[in-house]
Amino acid sequence: MRRSIIAANWKLNASRSMVDTFMPAVDAQASASGNTDIVICPPYPYLDLVGQKVQASNLHIGGQTMSLEKEGAFTGEVSADMLRDVGCRYVILGHSEQRRYHADSDISIGTKMVTALRAGLTPIVCIGESLQQRKEDKAESTIMRQLGALLALGRWVDLSDLVIAYEPIWAIGTGETASPEQAQAMHAYIRAELTKSRAQLADTVRVLYGGSVNPDNAAKLFAQTDIDGGLIGGASLQADSFNQIITAV
Ligand code: PGA
């Protein structure tokens, strides 16, 4: 049985006062939802503050991305070891916004995944097709390419801890969610691809759905066999809506 995960991707949104009101409410909900792992991924400057407010044993903090590098002259970068050092258990990798604005590629993301796993972080690796790719019937081939790079680069590493987030780009921040059937079909495809490569992964790897998840659509999405939880953007910024999503899983 795979444990479900609900992860909050705050993106470029946070303040001390937001953390002060958000965390006690979500910590209480996490305590009441012991079968689910809850992950909060704030912007770097708030990791420590968020971490200080964690009490529930199933509530964790994570980074939104990280560097390929370990240390040195890389202005603006943050390493896997630093994330661990400040208490992170997770890191989001390959989010479509990082792919788009920071030139993250299939290769760099796969390499970061290996670095993260070796540092003891659980990577939540985002994959997903654009609207154009879906229209051209290239959704599956896009996913196959993205997954293929991960599996190739992760060939010699234990990937049982890996978390995949299927995030169709056309559903991110648009209010347009994949239907539960569309999402389930792609999650089943992802699991089938994983099985082809390494049979045991298909049962252990958790596959999250992300893209305009909200309290109204969450339960139907999470009821699908191959959806193990969600990566939540906009609806993770308020404790109220985020807690409702936790309850839905
Ligand atoms: P959204 O973002 O929930 O605001 O669509 C999800 C994500 O980008 O991870």
Side-chain angles (χ1 to χ4, degrees):
M1 185 69 188
R2 296 181 297 270
R3 261 177 86 78
S4 41
I5 304 185
I6 300 293
N9 176 11
W10 283 4
K11 310 190 180 187
L12 188 52
N13 304 287
S15 64
R16 282 177 171 275
S17 65
M18 171 195 167
V19 173
D20 287 345
T21 44
F22 182 95
M23 284 307 289
V26 170
D27 190 78
Q29 182 61 56
S31 297
S33 310
N35 291 334
T36 302
D37 291 326
I38 321 287
V39 187
I40 312 296
C41 303
Y44 294 139
Y46 297 94
L47 276 169
D48 192 45
L49 186 64
V50 171
Q52 283 170 29
K53 295 183 186 291
V54 169
Q55 298 200 347
S57 59
N58 56 329
L59 180 59
H60 306 287
I61 58 172
Q64 294 179 11
T65 181
M66 57 170 234
S67 177
L68 273 176
E69 308 294 340
K70 223 176 152 44
E71 61 184 358
F74 302 99
T75 303
E77 301 283 286
V78 168
S79 72
D81 289 341
M82 289 172 187
L83 291 177
R84 279 296 286 159
D85 196 32
V86 298
C88 287
R89 277 275 286 274
Y90 289 81
V91 62
I92 299 171
L93 295 176
H95 190 281
S96 61
E97 287 149 19
Q98 281 290 324
R99 291 181 193 252
R100 178 162 175 204
Y101 303 124
H102 297 281
D104 240 347
S105 67
D106 290 342
I107 306 290
S108 69
I109 294 159
T111 312
K112 286 179 185 182
M113 172 192 76
V114 172
T115 308
L117 284 165
R118 290 204 168 124
L121 289 165
T122 297
I124 302 176
V125 184
C126 304
I127 57 178
E129 80 285 359
S130 66
L131 186 57
Q132 170 112 7
Q133 286 162 331
R134 181 160 277 261
K135 279 187 179 153
E136 291 172 358
D137 209 17
K138 289 185 183 150
E140 287 189 352
S141 57
T142 303
I143 296 298
M144 190 166 70
R145 190 201 74 223
Q146 294 171 336
L147 264 186
L150 297 179
L151 291 166
L153 286 153
R155 201 184 177 93
W156 310 113
V157 228
D158 177 6
L159 295 181
S160 49
D161 221 19
L162 173 65
V163 179
I164 301 277
Y166 169 58
E167 297 208 311
I169 298 169
W170 47 271
I172 296 177
T174 58
E176 188 180 342
T177 332
S179 68
E181 296 73 26
Q182 277 174 323
Q184 166 56 27
M186 193 56 98
H187 281 234
Y189 176 77
I190 291 168
R191 228 175 266 294
E193 283 299 306
L194 290 170
T195 317
K196 271 195 221 155
S197 167
R198 289 200 221 173
Q200 78 282 10
L201 283 186
D203 286 333
T204 57
V205 167
R206 292 176 287 178
V207 188
L208 314 183
Y209 171 78
S212 297
V213 177
N214 61 43
D216 297 328
N217 60 26
K220 282 212 174 100
L221 285 161
F222 299 155
Q224 306 300 312
T225 331
D226 289 299
I227 301 187
D228 302 315
L231 179 56
I232 322 297
S236 75
L237 297 174
Q238 264 105 36
D240 238 23
S241 52
F242 190 59
N243 279 348
Q244 286 178 55
I245 293 170
I246 296 173
T247 316
V249 86

